[in-house]
Amino acid sequence: MVSQNVVVSDVTTGIITVSTVSNSSVFTPSAQKPPTAPGHISVSKKKLLKSLEINGDQSQRLTSWVDSMRASSPTHLKSLPSLSSEAELNSWLKRHPSALDMFERIIEAARGKEIVMFLDYDGTLSPIVSDPDRAFISSKMRRTVKKLAKCFPTSIVTGRCIDKVYSFVKLAELYYAGSHGMDIKGPTKGFSRYNKDKPSVLYQPAGDFLPMIDEVFKQLVEKTKSTPGAKVENNKFCLSVHFRCVDEKKWSELALKVRSVVNNYPTLKLSQGRKVFEIRPMIKWDKGKALEFLLESLGFDNSSDVFPIYIGDDRTDEDAFKLLQERGQGLGLLVSKFPKDTNASYSLQDPLEVMDFLRRLVEWKQIQQ
């Protein structure tokens, strides 16, 4: 059984106390009893992505993995006629219409309810860039998010560590869920009207994995240092290996290096995002669980008067989209210029459209007040 650390700061003194809570329910059986044989990773079978098993034919496995890496590249996506065709795009937009075009319908669905905002960072609030350390948010977007947080409880849910994303956003009035929701922190006391009567909560369901994550980080840095352009990022409770700047001819080699390290840790899982490998603890926790926890922290766990809106662009955001779909509350908005299989209801093309949508929400709220 693995313990979870729940850190709560006293409202009046601001002193942080730590209590350890045992809760084996958040861990999968494989996390409680690691298999003796090497584990396996899986990549969801989307329209262009093939399933990849660790055990199996080496060449076929590697080919599938590299195909998946290519498919995650916007450059390659643009070159695929079946995806870029106007007919397919129009068909996809009928199923996932623009949230800007459908703004009035969204507002009508939210009328009489408390809107709660959840925002991914990379590709949603900031553009995807070659150097992940330079994924800066624009001053216009920062001002927009600041105004948004005055109107609605607002959270950033990201694969980044909290310290890194906060250094980009610099807004103390937001809720932050870093490491794909495995590191949750409320607004700084006195900065948000939504938590003025509540203690600030820091929730870390994967606290016991920290030593392992640090160990794997060092191994990955050493293993990938001979691959030009590869960058390993320590997100505290998870790791990212970025290959956006790696020559495509080196992708096979990099995939093998990353997998050779992760194979030695059966309680960690390897997945792939937009030109990035993600290594995370194998626990029952994701961005959807983080969304659920934040709603509960805000007092909306059993409320029918809440309307969560989650905006994100990555595969990891699908857990949150799916949760909202299952709850029958709120909406998921996928940020993408290309057709993708998704549980989101609506779409936005890029961070500029995200900013436009957020501004319209703020304007609507201000008219209501």
Side-chain angles (χ1 to χ4, degrees):
M1 182 178 297
V2 182
S3 300
Q4 300 167 8
N5 296 323
V6 181
V7 184
V8 183
S9 64
D10 184 86
V11 179
T12 55
T13 66
I15 298 174
I16 295 178
T17 58
V18 182
S19 60
T20 301
V21 181
S22 293
N23 186 351
S24 61
S25 63
V26 300
F27 287 83
T28 62
S30 57
Q32 295 176 37
K33 298 178 180 179
T36 54
H40 70 274
I41 52 175
S42 61
V43 178
S44 299
K45 188 175 182 182
K46 301 301 183 181
K47 187 171 288 186
L48 290 177
L49 306 183
K50 300 177 182 180
S51 296
L52 172 68
E53 297 295 334
I54 287 291
N55 300 305
D57 179 73
Q58 176 78 9
S59 60
Q60 182 179 359
R61 180 172 72 241
L62 188 57
T63 299
S64 297
W65 192 235
V66 173
D67 284 347
S68 175
M69 294 166 75
R70 290 195 183 100
S72 73
S73 164
T75 301
H76 283 280
L77 284 171
K78 290 177 184 176
S79 68
L80 296 176
S82 61
L83 275 182
S84 59
S85 68
E86 185 177 347
E88 181 160 354
L89 178 60
N90 290 337
S91 174
W92 186 80
L93 286 173
K94 286 181 181 179
R95 301 190 302 275
H96 310 285
S98 166
L100 295 175
D101 294 343
M102 306 301 291
F103 185 78
E104 294 303 324
R105 181 179 293 186
I106 292 172
I107 289 303
E108 188 59 36
R111 198 173 301 280
K113 300 178 181 179
E114 179 70 47
I115 292 176
V116 183
M117 297 299 303
F118 298 90
L119 308 168
D120 182 27
Y121 183 75
D122 293 278
T124 299
L125 297 182
S126 74
I128 297 293
V129 295
S130 297
D131 184 353
D133 289 334
R134 300 189 62 80
F136 302 122
I137 188 174
S138 70
S139 56
K140 289 182 179 180
M141 181 67 89
R142 182 181 290 107
R143 287 195 296 270
T144 300
V145 174
K146 187 176 182 67
K147 291 177 182 178
L148 184 76
K150 289 181 179 179
C151 298
F152 314 104
T154 301
S155 305
I156 291 182
V157 187
T158 174
R160 302 261 195 170
C161 69
I162 288 179
D163 290 345
K164 172 64 77 174
V165 78
Y166 185 83
S167 72
F168 289 146
V169 181
K170 299 176 182 176
L171 293 176
E173 55 266 51
L174 305 182
Y175 290 80
Y176 290 88
S179 300
H180 297 288
M182 288 182 284
D183 192 10
I184 299 176
K185 184 179 182 180
T188 302
K189 185 185 172 187
F191 279 80
S192 173
R193 65 188 178 93
Y194 298 105
N195 75 331
K196 62 182 179 180
D197 298 323
K198 299 184 179 73
S200 293
V201 176
L202 172 62
Y203 186 57
Q204 299 174 334
D208 286 356
F209 282 86
L210 276 177
M212 183 186 296
I213 293 293
D214 288 339
E215 181 180 309
V216 174
F217 171 71
K218 293 174 184 176
Q219 291 185 32
L220 285 171
V221 169
E222 181 65 25
K223 199 81 172 179
T224 62
K225 67 181 183 181
S226 60
T227 304
K231 183 178 181 61
V232 185
E233 185 176 12
N234 190 335
N235 297 310
K236 191 172 182 177
F237 294 102
C238 62
L239 302 170
S240 299
V241 181
H242 301 273
F243 58 90
R244 186 165 298 275
C245 296
V246 175
D247 189 312
E248 187 173 331
K249 295 177 182 178
K250 295 285 186 179
W251 286 2
S252 300
E253 174 187 315
L254 180 63
L256 286 172
K257 289 178 178 179
V258 172
R259 195 176 62 232
S260 70
V261 173
V262 179
N263 278 354
N264 296 321
Y265 297 87
T267 56
L268 297 181
K269 62 181 177 181
L270 175 63
S271 59
Q272 188 189 327
R274 293 179 65 179
K275 286 209 171 178
V276 63
F277 294 121
E278 303 280 5
I279 297 96
R280 290 185 278 169
M282 199 176 291
I283 65 173
K284 287 184 178 178
W285 198 265
D286 51 39
K287 289 185 175 182
K289 293 288 187 183
L291 183 155
E292 209 165 31
F293 176 84
L294 286 165
L295 286 176
E296 182 177 346
S297 300
L298 287 162
F300 293 121
D301 49 329
N302 295 312
S303 174
S304 59
D305 297 326
V306 64
F307 195 85
I309 297 178
Y310 188 107
I311 308 178
D313 75 309
D314 199 57
R315 291 185 210 173
T316 57
D317 298 309
E318 290 297 327
D319 294 313
F321 297 154
K322 184 178 180 181
L323 177 77
L324 293 178
Q325 201 174 64
E326 291 172 348
R327 287 171 67 105
Q329 287 183 311
L331 295 169
L333 278 60
L334 175 69
V335 184
S336 178
K337 293 182 178 180
F338 310 102
K340 295 181 180 178
D341 287 345
T342 181
N343 291 298
S345 301
Y346 297 104
S347 63
L348 294 165
Q349 286 206 0
D350 51 38
L352 286 177
E353 287 202 353
V354 171
M355 184 164 61
D356 191 5
F357 179 82
L358 299 182
R359 283 177 171 173
R360 291 176 69 175
L361 274 179
V362 169
E363 291 169 359
W364 171 79
K365 182 67 174 181
Q366 290 172 340
I367 293 173
Q368 305 303 307
Q369 293 175 339

